Each structure stands twice: as C-alpha cells, then as structure tokens.
Amino acid sequence: MKRIGNAIVAGVIATIMAAGLVGCGSSTVSTTSSSESSESSSASSTAAVSSSAASESASSSSNAALSGNSEEVAAVSSSSSGVPVVAGTDDTSILQEDYTAKSNYKIGFALQTMDVDVFNTMSQGMEDEAKKIGVDYTCMVANNDVATQVSNIENMIAQGYNAIIIHTFDKEAFATVANEAIDKGIVVCAYDDNIIDPATGEPCKYPLTFLCNNYDIGYRVGTMAAEWTKKQFPDETGDLEFGLLWHHEYEFQQERVKGIRAAIAEKDPRIKIVDEQEGLVTEDGVKACEAWTQSYPDLKGVVATNDTALLGFAQAWQSAGKDVHDETFGMFGNDGVNDAIDMVADDTIMRGDVGLDVYDGGAMALLACTKELDGVPTESVLMPMVNCTVDNVQEDWISNPTLYVKK
C-alpha cells in the first residue's frame, strides 16, 4: 500500500479539482447512449460529458446490520421511533441478471449538475447499463437551474422518452412537469428526494424512486466512530471530545446528523460533540482544524457528513506539524472520495468512511425503469453503500474498479 502521509496536501487539492468544483458552464450538457447508436436529445445547446471517478453509496433500513445488503423496507415515512424508513432495495446482485429490454426504449436522466464527480460516475453507471440491456440513454444537465431542469424534462416529453429519472433538487418545482409526464404514460423515477405536489402536499403518483437513507448514512458514521473509541480508549471514564462538520442548509445533511448523534448515544455515550462547524468544502475543514486545535486541545476526533471537509481538516492538521498517523485521533465521514479512501487504507487519522456506490445505484435505477416499462415486477432503488475501514477497504472498495476509479 502506498504511503500518502506527506503527499496529502497535494492529494486534497487534486481531489477537490477532480470533484468538479469548477462549473460546467451555462449550456445544457447532454450525453447519449444506445445499444446501436447515440442520438442527441436536447433542444438546448449540448456538450459531451465524460464520466470520471469517485463514489458514493447508501443504504437500507436505519439501525439495520451495518454489513452486507439489507432487505427491502416499507415506505418513505417515519417509524414509530421517528427513524426514517425509505423504500427500496440496495441489492446490487440484480445487476448480474442476463436481462434484455423488450424494446429499444428512450430513458433520460434530468440531472442537477455535473459539478460533483459522483454524478458523473452515477450517469456512467446508467449509460453502461443501457448499453448492456439494449435501451437508449441520455443525461441532460440543468447546471443548478430550476427553469433549465423543467425545460430539459419538457424536451424529453416532447421527444417521446419512455422513462425519465428526475433529480429532485427542489421538492415542489418539478411537480407540474412530472405530472405532465405521468399523464402521458411516461415512467417517472424520482432521484434524491420525492417530488411533492404543492396542491396536495403529497408525492406525485410516480412508480419508482432512487433514494439514499441519509439517517442510516449518519448512523453508520457514528457507529464507526463509537467502535473506534471503544477500542482505542477502553479505560477512559470521562468525556471523549469530538467535533462535528456539516452543512446546516441541506435537509439531507440534517438527517445524517440525526443518525450520527443516535449511533453515538447508543454505542458510546462517552463521545461528546463539543462544537459544530460549517462543513461543506475543503476550506471549512481547514478553518475547523485551526480553531479546534486551539480551543479543544484534548479533541479525540471529528465526525462529518461528507469527505471533502475532512480532507481539508487533514490538510490543516499536517500544515500544523501534526502526525497524520496519530493513533489517538480519528475522523469519520462519508462519500468514498478517492483521497479519503486512500487515507483509510493507509491507516491514517481518517479511520472510517461510508462509501456510496453511485455507479451501481445508477445502473439499478435505469434497470428498474426498463423493467417497469416491460411490465416486469420491480422495486425502487436504495443507494448501496459500503462501510470502509483499514480492515476491509482494500477488498471491499479499492479492488472494485467501479468504486475506486484510478485517475
């Protein structure tokens, strides 16, 4: 295993550049795939998108076993304990089927942005599955603009698409156009969140979803942190101070924080979150490290709702002359970003990462749409995820070329 200790600063910068924090411009981006040929599907200006790496994965029912795939759960709701329950399957073995579509359907993905590397990987998973099962695939990108997203979906409807996977980055803004597609018999799959009809306050009547259980992602992060503290500090009777990095504006991150707190309280209540800081981009992690090393000299670790902020924390940690292999400090996050995975594999202060398998998740969503069109029984998709620690990261993540993509 290569050592990354002194190379981490350069690695972090490379990760952030690879993660696509530079925008893709103002024109709509469209990629097409077919078993026979590719066709352009956007009425607006288009440009080819190439897939790149990094990974993400998600889960099944909250508080379920943290290894392997879980069984299907009931519905998008809350259980009696208040724990979110998200419908679907994360069983990637369905992709091993020898399945061929009954017709050369046109399936589109209306995506928010390609500014995040995992979306490139997700779209690539859809494109590859489309070629495998014999359907046409197009991805149209809205570049974070609601009006462009609506226009892209309208274009897909006008061009006779059979199924549309809609990235719901605004819960209510896409209800009218989604209902238009549904009324025309188009299969709609909501990705990332439900599409809410403002007239009813309920989800639109689409048959499929492709979702993460964000509470469970957080619960896994908190569990790995607690497992590490119990092993590392078995005789400590006082508080174990931790910091928390997360982006308060995003509802899905709020769910991840709830999961983190629940797991910590249940599995090692000695962990005390002494401070919370903004944690979305690299600079946030840098600022948090600089502040906490002064204010909390006994800090034992950090939990976060992504990898990027933790990579910034590690960058500042090394800049301050601290040992990236310090056995008494631990960081725990999620996404499966290559540099974070490298740190886990090298037994650094990055002790655990919940990797989100967006490649297989995207492939599963496209397959589900195709089966729905074929009239074959199918189910909604939960993003698959993998808990990565130094003990399993090589076998369960790095050795898989769709999870760990070398650049």
Side-chain angles (χ1 to χ4, degrees):
M1 186 69 62
K2 65 170 184 169
R3 303 294 290 182
I4 64 167
N6 294 329
I8 188 172
V9 176
V12 168
I13 295 171
T15 294
I16 302 310
M17 294 300 292
L21 296 181
V22 178
C24 295
S26 59
S27 61
T28 300
V29 182
S30 173
T31 72
T32 61
S33 167
S34 170
S35 57
E36 298 177 356
S37 62
S38 298
E39 61 183 62
S40 173
S41 302
S42 172
S44 56
S45 151
T46 63
V49 174
S50 61
S51 130
S52 57
S55 306
E56 256 197 14
S57 111
S59 127
S60 45
S61 58
S62 304
N63 302 345
L66 295 179
S67 61
N69 291 320
S70 58
E71 297 178 357
E72 178 186 2
V73 290
V76 180
S77 61
S78 292
S79 68
S80 58
S81 65
V83 175
V85 178
V86 184
T89 180
D90 62 357
D91 186 357
T92 59
S93 67
I94 63 173
L95 297 174
Q96 306 306 314
E97 298 177 26
D98 185 15
Y99 193 85
T100 301
K102 294 180 180 179
S103 181
N104 188 26
Y105 303 117
K106 294 173 68 175
I107 300 178
F109 185 21
L111 180 61
Q112 176 186 4
T113 179
M114 282 290 190
D115 287 357
V116 180
D117 203 28
V118 293
F119 292 150
N120 288 272
T121 304
M122 183 186 299
S123 181
Q124 189 64 51
M126 293 182 186
E127 182 177 346
D128 291 348
E129 185 68 12
K131 292 175 181 177
K132 173 184 164 188
I133 65 177
V135 298
D136 285 345
Y137 168 76
T138 300
C139 178
M140 296 187 189
V141 180
N143 294 312
N144 301 302
D145 183 69
V146 167
T148 302
Q149 177 82 332
V150 171
S151 176
N152 287 344
I153 298 167
E154 288 174 340
N155 287 338
M156 290 184 187
I157 294 171
Q159 293 166 21
Y161 277 70
N162 305 103
I164 305 173
I165 302 166
I166 299 175
H167 189 179
T168 313
F169 59 93
D170 186 304
K171 283 188 174 182
E172 296 186 350
F174 310 126
T176 299
V177 70
N179 284 332
E180 180 185 347
I182 293 166
D183 290 345
K184 292 182 180 296
I186 297 170
V187 169
V188 169
C189 174
Y191 163 59
D192 217 13
D193 208 339
N194 277 297
I195 303 169
I196 303 299
D197 190 332
T200 65
E202 298 293 329
C204 300
K205 304 298 183 182
Y206 41 79
L208 297 169
T209 57
F210 173 26
L211 304 174
C212 289
N213 187 331
N214 286 294
Y215 179 94
D216 196 27
I217 292 173
Y219 193 87
R220 287 168 175 255
V221 171
T223 295
M224 286 192 290
E227 290 175 346
W228 177 75
T229 53
K230 286 190 291 187
K231 181 179 179 181
Q232 187 65 35
F233 308 106
D235 300 324
E236 285 281 350
T237 57
D239 292 338
L240 301 175
E241 296 182 348
F242 266 66
L244 170 62
L245 293 172
W246 68 292
H247 184 58
H248 300 61
E249 184 178 333
Y250 293 163
E251 184 176 342
F252 75 90
Q253 293 218 1
Q254 296 170 19
E255 289 300 317
R256 292 181 186 182
V257 169
K258 290 177 185 177
I260 289 171
R261 291 186 179 278
I264 287 171
E266 176 184 333
K267 298 181 182 298
D268 192 351
R270 296 177 304 162
I271 296 176
K272 180 181 179 181
I273 295 176
V274 292
D275 193 26
E276 302 177 22
Q277 294 282 341
E278 172 66 19
L280 183 63
V281 296
T282 312
E283 291 77 8
D284 295 332
V286 170
K287 291 176 182 177
C289 183
E290 292 171 348
W292 288 342
T293 52
Q294 296 296 319
S295 302
Y296 301 100
D298 296 326
L299 200 71
K300 295 296 190 290
V302 180
V303 285
T305 55
N306 68 14
D307 283 341
T308 305
L310 289 180
L311 289 170
F313 191 99
Q315 175 184 342
W317 180 272
Q318 273 205 311
S319 296
K322 291 181 174 291
D323 183 5
V324 76
H325 295 282
D326 184 349
E327 294 181 356
T328 64
F329 195 86
M331 304 194 307
F332 304 86
N334 64 263
D335 278 353
V337 171
N338 275 11
D339 279 356
I341 292 295
D342 283 344
M343 289 188 69
V344 172
D346 199 40
D347 200 16
T348 70
I349 57 174
M350 187 73 181
R351 306 291 173 188
D353 196 44
V354 181
L356 309 181
D357 181 4
V358 294
Y359 180 91
D360 285 338
M364 290 165 67
L366 185 130
L367 178 61
C369 288
T370 304
K371 288 185 174 180
E372 183 74 19
L373 289 166
D374 282 343
V376 174
T378 189
E379 55 191 317
S380 291
V381 175
L382 279 172
M383 192 81 76
M385 39 181 173
V386 179
N387 283 15
C388 297
T389 68
V390 69
D391 296 325
N392 74 321
V393 67
Q394 182 66 46
E395 180 178 357
D396 293 346
W397 192 271
I398 293 176
S399 63
N400 188 327
T402 66
L403 297 178
Y404 184 87
V405 184
K406 297 180 180 178
K407 299 178 182 180

